[in-house]
Amino acid sequence: MIRLVPIIMAVLLGWNAPCGAASYGVARSATPVLNSPALGDIFGGADGRSLKTDRCGQVRQLEFIALPGTVFRLLGKAPGSATTVYRVETDDYLAPDGISLYADSRFIELRDERPPARTRTLPTRERIIAALKKAIGNPYVWGGNVPEGVNALIGTLYPAGAAIDDRVKQRITLAGVDCSGLLYQATGGWTPRNTSQLVSYGTGVTVEGKDAREIAESLKPLDLIAWGGHVIIVMDRNTVIESRLKCGRPANGGVVTTPLRQRLTEIMRTRRPVDAWPAKGKQEGIFVVRRWFGL
């Protein structure tokens, strides 16, 4: 009976369930996955090259960008769309409670049977750090994890052949990364895409009751300083890297490095270190350090 619930809800809400049609799909290329089916209201606009954003220049409907080869379960088709938009699920992204995911059919290759999962290979520590360094200066993009942007948006959600300068193209193709997207991109999609998972990823480093100096001395490259909503990556014993949203600043923030001790001191003005992220109860004003590489 439990498996019938999504189908019943789809019928009640006017969704077209994929009965007799393909049940799975594979991302042909980098594929924007949103929490709204109204892709036409977000991409394109009256001039064919606009992007609907909030006051900080962010598309809050963007959840993440699925990498090529990502497998989707197709749950139905959004009614009323000019082109087919699927409601989807994927093992590559744990959607927050109450959030549904949507993707444009033109980015997806349909399959009748469940395809093999996307091939994942963890790069070496040196390659990950090199990728992180290369991302320095990239703009902050909410839900972004493709620094070069989704070029396939041109010709699908935007008309092909329009004269678009590089700055506009960067913005409308979602070129940039958010905090967990920075790590996701550098690891080739190996690590979880959400900070809600990263706070429990790997194993905890003992930090409770320690000061900034003591914590800094215990960290290793690629350790994660994390809390609900943000993650900072340790580069080496002296430096951390992160993508920070700074509303109103040029590019609204982006990927920056900071001295490790300095950043820990800043964090500890408003947060205290704990050894494990609480599954329930008070989660405000704390942070954890997670070690995952090499485990």
Side-chain angles (χ1 to χ4, degrees):
M1 286 297 294
I2 293 176
R3 293 184 179 181
L4 292 177
V5 171
I7 297 175
I8 294 171
M9 289 303 297
V11 172
L12 292 175
L13 294 174
W15 285 81
N16 297 313
C19 298
S23 299
Y24 299 95
V26 178
R28 301 175 187 272
S29 60
T31 300
V33 179
L34 288 83
N35 57 35
S36 167
L39 275 67
D41 294 339
I42 299 166
F43 300 95
D47 61 1
R49 61 178 192 173
S50 298
L51 183 67
K52 183 179 179 181
T53 62
D54 67 6
R55 65 182 185 83
C56 294
Q58 306 303 309
V59 180
R60 298 289 175 164
Q61 296 89 342
L62 180 65
E63 289 290 317
F64 85 117
I65 297 174
L67 300 180
T70 297
V71 174
F72 297 110
R73 292 179 293 279
L74 309 182
L75 305 180
K77 297 178 181 179
S81 300
T83 59
T84 299
V85 175
Y86 287 111
R87 185 163 63 93
V88 300
E89 288 181 344
T90 176
D91 293 339
D92 283 41
Y93 184 83
L94 180 63
D97 291 341
I99 296 296
S100 295
L101 304 178
Y102 305 91
D104 190 295
S105 62
R106 290 170 289 183
F107 290 85
I108 299 173
E109 180 181 329
L110 302 182
R111 302 285 181 87
D112 293 326
E113 298 181 356
R114 186 184 182 97
R118 175 177 61 84
T119 301
R120 298 194 309 161
T121 302
L122 180 64
T124 63
R125 190 193 306 268
E126 291 72 24
R127 286 184 177 274
I128 295 172
I129 291 175
L132 292 171
K133 290 180 178 178
K134 187 177 179 180
I136 295 171
N138 281 182
Y140 182 96
V141 171
W142 178 278
N145 50 262
V146 180
E148 64 275 18
V150 182
N151 291 321
L153 282 167
I154 307 297
T156 51
L157 294 173
Y158 298 104
I164 302 174
D165 63 45
D166 289 342
R167 185 175 180 180
V168 171
K169 182 179 179 181
Q170 181 185 60
R171 183 176 63 84
I172 68 175
T173 59
L174 309 171
V177 295
D178 64 15
C179 62
S180 55
L182 172 63
L183 179 66
Y184 192 75
Q185 183 273 332
T187 63
W190 178 276
T191 48
R193 184 59 185 81
N194 275 345
T195 54
S196 60
Q197 292 174 275
L198 290 172
V199 291
S200 302
Y201 187 55
T203 187
V205 176
T206 302
V207 293
E208 196 161 342
K210 295 183 178 181
D211 60 25
R213 178 188 60 79
E214 292 170 322
I215 294 174
E217 290 175 352
S218 68
L219 300 188
K220 295 183 179 180
L222 300 185
D223 282 352
L224 308 178
I225 302 167
W227 59 88
H230 195 56
V231 62
I232 300 166
I233 308 160
V234 176
M235 295 274 279
D236 52 45
R237 297 190 67 85
N238 300 307
T239 312
V240 295
I241 189 169
E242 62 191 305
S243 187
R244 302 176 69 176
L245 175 60
K246 295 186 177 181
C247 189
R249 301 281 184 88
N252 292 303
V255 181
V256 295
T257 59
T258 312
L260 172 57
R261 287 271 298 276
Q262 174 185 319
R263 192 68 178 105
L264 280 169
T265 300
E266 292 172 354
I267 294 166
M268 294 176 71
R269 289 174 186 154
T270 56
R271 296 179 179 274
R272 61 181 177 85
V274 296
D275 290 342
W277 191 257
K280 296 181 180 179
K282 184 175 176 57
Q283 298 178 341
E284 299 295 324
I286 58 175
F287 71 93
V288 293
V289 175
R290 306 297 298 185
R291 179 164 296 152
W292 62 276
F293 189 88
L295 301 181

